[in-house]
Coordinates of all heavy atoms in Angstrom, one line a residue:
L13 N 158.0 68.3 103.9 CA 157.9 67.2 103.0 C 156.4 66.7 103.0 O 155.8 66.7 104.0 CB 158.8 66.0 103.3 CG 160.2 66.4 103.4 CD1 161.0 65.6 104.5 CD2 160.9 66.3 102.1
T14 N 155.8 66.4 101.8 CA 154.4 66.1 101.7 C 154.2 64.8 100.9 O 155.0 64.6 99.9 CB 153.7 67.2 100.9 OG1 153.9 68.4 101.6 CG2 152.2 66.9 100.8
A15 N 153.4 63.9 101.3 CA 153.2 62.6 100.6 C 151.7 62.6 100.1 O 150.7 62.9 100.8 CB 153.3 61.5 101.7
D16 N 151.6 62.2 98.9 CA 150.3 61.9 98.2 C 149.5 60.9 99.0 O 150.0 60.0 99.6 CB 150.4 61.6 96.7 CG 151.0 62.7 95.9 OD1 150.9 63.8 96.4 OD2 151.5 62.4 94.8
L17 N 148.1 60.9 98.9 CA 147.3 60.0 99.4 C 147.5 58.6 98.9 O 147.8 58.4 97.6 CB 145.8 60.3 99.2 CG 145.3 61.5 100.1 CD1 143.8 61.7 99.6 CD2 145.2 61.1 101.6
P18 N 147.4 57.5 99.6 CA 147.5 56.2 99.0 C 146.3 55.9 98.2 O 145.3 56.7 98.2 CB 147.5 55.3 100.3 CG 146.7 56.0 101.3 CD 147.1 57.5 101.0
E19 N 146.3 55.0 97.4 CA 145.3 54.7 96.4 C 143.9 54.5 97.0 O 142.9 55.1 96.5 CB 145.6 53.4 95.6 CG 144.6 53.1 94.4 CD 145.0 51.9 93.6 OE1 146.1 51.3 93.8 OE2 144.2 51.5 92.7
H20 N 143.8 53.7 98.1 CA 142.4 53.5 98.6 C 141.9 54.8 99.2 O 140.6 55.0 99.1 CB 142.5 52.4 99.7 CG 143.2 52.8 101.0 ND1 144.6 52.8 101.1 CD2 142.6 53.2 102.2 CE1 144.8 53.2 102.4 NE2 143.7 53.4 103.0
M21 N 142.7 55.6 99.8 CA 142.2 57.0 100.3 C 141.8 57.9 99.1 O 140.8 58.7 99.2 CB 143.1 57.6 101.3 CG 143.2 56.8 102.6 SD 144.3 57.6 103.8 CE 143.4 59.2 104.2
A22 N 142.7 57.9 98.0 CA 142.4 58.8 96.9 C 141.1 58.3 96.2 O 140.3 59.2 95.9 CB 143.5 58.6 95.9
R23 N 140.7 57.1 96.2 CA 139.4 56.6 95.7 C 138.3 57.2 96.6 O 137.3 57.6 96.0 CB 139.4 55.2 95.6 CG 140.2 54.5 94.5 CD 139.8 53.1 94.2 NE 139.8 52.3 95.4 CZ 140.7 51.5 95.8 NH1 141.9 51.5 95.1 NH2 140.6 50.7 96.8
T24 N 138.5 57.2 97.9 CA 137.4 57.6 98.8 C 137.2 59.2 98.5 O 136.1 59.7 98.5 CB 137.8 57.3 100.2 OG1 137.9 56.0 100.4 CG2 136.8 58.0 101.2
W25 N 138.3 59.9 98.5 CA 138.3 61.3 98.3 C 137.6 61.6 96.9 O 136.7 62.6 96.9 CB 139.7 62.0 98.3 CG 140.2 62.5 99.6 CD1 140.6 63.8 99.8 CD2 140.2 61.9 100.8 NE1 140.9 63.9 101.1 CE2 140.7 62.8 101.8 CE3 139.8 60.6 101.3 CZ2 140.9 62.5 103.1 CZ3 139.9 60.3 102.7 CH2 140.5 61.2 103.6
D26 N 137.9 60.8 95.9 CA 137.2 61.1 94.6 C 135.8 60.7 94.7 O 134.9 61.5 94.1 CB 137.8 60.1 93.5 CG 139.1 60.6 93.1 OD1 139.5 61.7 93.3 OD2 140.0 59.8 92.5
F27 N 135.4 59.8 95.5 CA 133.9 59.4 95.6 C 133.2 60.6 96.2 O 132.0 60.9 95.8 CB 133.9 58.2 96.6 CG 132.5 57.8 96.9 CD1 131.7 57.0 96.1 CD2 131.8 58.1 98.1 CE1 130.5 56.5 96.3 CE2 130.5 57.7 98.4 CZ 129.8 57.0 97.5
F28 N 133.8 61.3 97.2 CA 133.1 62.4 97.8 C 133.3 63.7 97.1 O 132.8 64.8 97.5 CB 133.5 62.6 99.2 CG 133.0 61.5 100.1 CD1 133.8 60.6 100.8 CD2 131.7 61.3 100.3 CE1 133.4 59.6 101.5 CE2 131.1 60.3 101.2 CZ 132.0 59.4 101.8
G29 N 134.2 63.7 96.0 CA 134.4 65.0 95.3 C 135.4 65.9 96.0 O 135.3 67.2 95.8
W30 N 136.2 65.4 96.9 CA 137.1 66.2 97.7 C 138.4 66.5 96.9 O 139.0 65.5 96.3 CB 137.4 65.6 99.0 CG 136.2 65.6 100.0 CD1 135.2 66.4 99.9 CD2 136.1 64.7 101.0 NE1 134.3 66.1 100.9 CE2 134.8 65.0 101.7 CE3 136.9 63.7 101.6 CZ2 134.4 64.3 102.8 CZ3 136.4 63.0 102.8 CH2 135.2 63.4 103.3
D31 N 138.8 67.7 96.8 CA 140.0 68.0 95.9 C 141.2 68.4 96.8 O 141.1 69.4 97.5 CB 139.7 69.3 95.0 CG 140.7 69.6 94.1 OD1 141.9 69.0 94.2 OD2 140.5 70.4 93.1
V32 N 142.2 67.5 96.9 CA 143.3 67.7 97.8 C 144.1 69.0 97.4 O 144.7 69.6 98.3 CB 144.2 66.5 97.8 CG1 143.6 65.2 98.2 CG2 144.9 66.3 96.4
R33 N 143.9 69.5 96.1 CA 144.7 70.7 95.8 C 144.2 71.9 96.4 O 144.8 72.9 96.5 CB 144.6 70.8 94.2 CG 145.4 69.7 93.4 CD 145.0 69.8 92.0 NE 143.6 69.6 91.7 CZ 143.0 69.7 90.5 NH1 143.8 69.9 89.5 NH2 141.7 69.5 90.4
K34 N 143.0 71.8 96.9 CA 142.3 73.0 97.6 C 142.4 72.9 99.1 O 142.0 73.9 99.7 CB 140.8 73.1 97.1 CG 140.6 73.3 95.7 CD 139.2 73.5 95.4 CE 139.0 73.7 93.9 NZ 137.6 73.7 93.4
A35 N 143.0 71.8 99.5 CA 143.1 71.7 101.0 C 144.2 72.6 101.6 O 145.3 72.8 100.9 CB 143.4 70.3 101.3
P36 N 144.1 73.2 102.7 CA 145.1 74.1 103.3 C 146.4 73.2 103.7 O 146.2 72.1 104.2 CB 144.5 74.7 104.5 CG 143.3 73.7 104.9 CD 142.9 73.2 103.6
A37 N 147.5 73.6 103.5 CA 148.7 72.9 104.0 C 148.7 72.7 105.4 O 149.1 71.7 106.0 CB 150.0 73.7 103.5
D38 N 148.1 73.7 106.1 CA 148.1 73.7 107.6 C 146.7 74.0 108.0 O 146.2 75.3 108.1 CB 149.1 74.6 108.3 CG 149.0 74.4 109.9 OD1 148.1 73.9 110.4 OD2 149.9 74.9 110.5
P39 N 145.7 73.1 108.2 CA 144.3 73.4 108.4 C 144.1 74.0 109.8 O 143.0 74.7 110.0 CB 143.7 72.0 108.4 CG 144.7 71.1 108.6 CD 146.0 71.6 108.1
F40 N 145.1 73.9 110.7 CA 144.9 74.5 112.0 C 145.0 76.0 112.0 O 144.5 76.7 113.0 CB 145.9 73.9 112.9 CG 145.9 72.4 113.0 CD1 146.6 71.6 112.1 CD2 145.1 71.7 113.9 CE1 146.6 70.2 112.2 CE2 145.0 70.3 113.9 CZ 145.7 69.6 113.0
I41 N 145.6 76.6 111.0 CA 145.8 78.1 111.0 C 144.4 78.7 111.0 O 144.2 79.8 111.7 CB 146.6 78.5 109.8 CG1 148.0 78.1 110.0 CG2 146.5 80.0 109.6 CD1 148.9 78.4 108.8
F42 N 143.4 78.1 110.3 CA 142.1 78.6 110.2 C 141.3 78.6 111.5 O 140.4 79.4 111.7 CB 141.3 77.9 109.2 CG 141.8 78.1 107.7 CD1 142.6 77.1 107.2 CD2 141.6 79.2 107.0 CE1 143.2 77.3 105.9 CE2 142.0 79.4 105.7 CZ 142.9 78.4 105.2
Y43 N 141.9 77.9 112.5 CA 141.2 77.8 113.8 C 142.0 78.5 114.8 O 141.8 78.1 116.0 CB 140.9 76.4 114.1 CG 139.9 75.7 113.1 CD1 140.5 74.9 112.2 CD2 138.6 75.9 113.3 CE1 139.6 74.3 111.3 CE2 137.7 75.2 112.4 CZ 138.2 74.5 111.4 OH 137.4 73.8 110.5
G44 N 143.0 79.2 114.4 CA 143.9 80.0 115.4 C 144.8 79.1 116.0 O 145.2 79.3 117.3
A45 N 145.2 78.0 115.4 CA 146.2 77.0 116.1 C 147.3 76.6 115.2 O 147.7 75.5 115.1 CB 145.4 75.7 116.5
G46 N 147.8 77.7 114.5 CA 149.0 77.5 113.6 C 150.2 77.2 114.5 O 150.2 77.3 115.8
P47 N 151.3 76.7 113.9 CA 152.5 76.3 114.7 C 153.0 77.2 115.7 O 153.5 77.0 116.7 CB 153.6 76.1 113.6 CG 152.7 75.8 112.3 CD 151.5 76.6 112.5
K48 N 153.0 78.7 115.4 CA 153.5 79.7 116.3 C 152.6 79.9 117.5 O 153.0 80.4 118.5 CB 153.9 80.9 115.5 CG 154.9 80.8 114.5 CD 155.2 82.2 113.8 CE 156.3 82.0 112.8 NZ 156.6 83.4 112.0
K49 N 151.3 79.6 117.3 CA 150.4 79.8 118.4 C 150.2 78.6 119.3 O 149.5 78.7 120.3 CB 149.0 80.3 117.8 CG 149.1 81.6 117.0 CD 147.7 81.9 116.6 CE 147.7 83.2 115.7 NZ 146.5 83.6 115.2

């Protein structure tokens, strides 16, 4: 289950040009720390 950012955080993300659609569902996998590891 996934929850969208609240309005105040969404404004901050927009301010920095960060796109939540491009964010990894599990950012830890890229650092070798996925759930199975």
Side-chain angles (χ1 to χ4, degrees):
L13 303 150
T14 303
D16 291 339
L17 286 174
E19 183 180 356
H20 72 281
M21 289 181 68
R23 289 198 304 268
T24 298
W25 264 234
D26 287 343
F27 179 81
F28 290 114
W30 293 338
D31 189 346
V32 299
R33 296 170 299 180
K34 297 180 180 179
D38 185 348
F40 302 92
I41 290 177
F42 294 99
Y43 298 97
K48 293 183 180 180
K49 298 181 180 181

